Amino acid sequence: MIAVLTLPFRLLAFAGWFAWQIVRSSGGVLADILSPGSRATPRVVRLPLGDAGDAHLTALGVLISLTPGTLTIGVDRMAEGGRELLVHTMYDPDEARALAGLREMDRRLVAATTGRSRA
């Protein structure tokens, strides 16, 4: 019952956090465009999501693609079961940092929509 009552507040908090991520990412892209040379370090990373449902995969994929400098390019089945998102990132210095940011978004989305943390 408490989870239902707090849903609007959790979604509002997530929306505020996500809006800030868009502002930060837009600033990074703009700085790269306006400065000489390029700071881009493009890469494709695999974000394992285990047994996440279709709605969660879709929502996360859309949110990732809305964030400047990232693009969801597909969903793949993992050999050990479950699914993973294939994500193209432009400005993360390494794969570990890219995955950390994507996992943070996934963690916050799960917390906002369910009131629980991802297992």
Side-chain angles (χ1 to χ4, degrees):
M1 178 68 173
I2 297 292
V4 172
L5 295 175
T6 61
L7 179 64
F9 301 107
R10 291 191 320 264
L11 290 176
L12 187 61
F14 179 79
W17 174 83
F18 185 68
W20 175 243
Q21 297 308 302
I22 289 178
V23 169
R24 283 185 49 219
S25 298
S26 296
V29 172
L30 183 62
D32 189 33
I33 291 169
L34 297 177
S35 63
S38 177
R39 297 180 309 163
T41 54
R43 72 185 78 250
V44 174
V45 296
R46 293 175 172 269
L47 176 64
L49 293 172
D51 61 350
D54 291 341
H56 181 76
L57 281 171
T58 302
L60 186 59
V62 167
L63 292 169
I64 289 169
S65 293
L66 284 173
T67 308
T70 59
L71 178 66
T72 303
I73 56 176
V75 178
D76 199 10
R77 294 229 178 257
M78 297 186 302
E80 59 273 0
R83 294 181 289 185
E84 60 190 358
L85 286 179
L86 295 129
V87 181
H88 182 269
T89 68
M90 287 293 295
Y91 296 104
D92 294 301
D94 55 37
E95 183 175 343
R97 180 99 42 101
L99 285 172
L102 295 170
R103 285 186 184 114
E104 177 67 9
M105 184 180 290
D106 178 44
R107 183 191 70 75
R108 287 178 179 267
L109 179 61
V110 169
T113 56
T114 67
R116 297 184 299 267
S117 61
R118 180 172 283 291

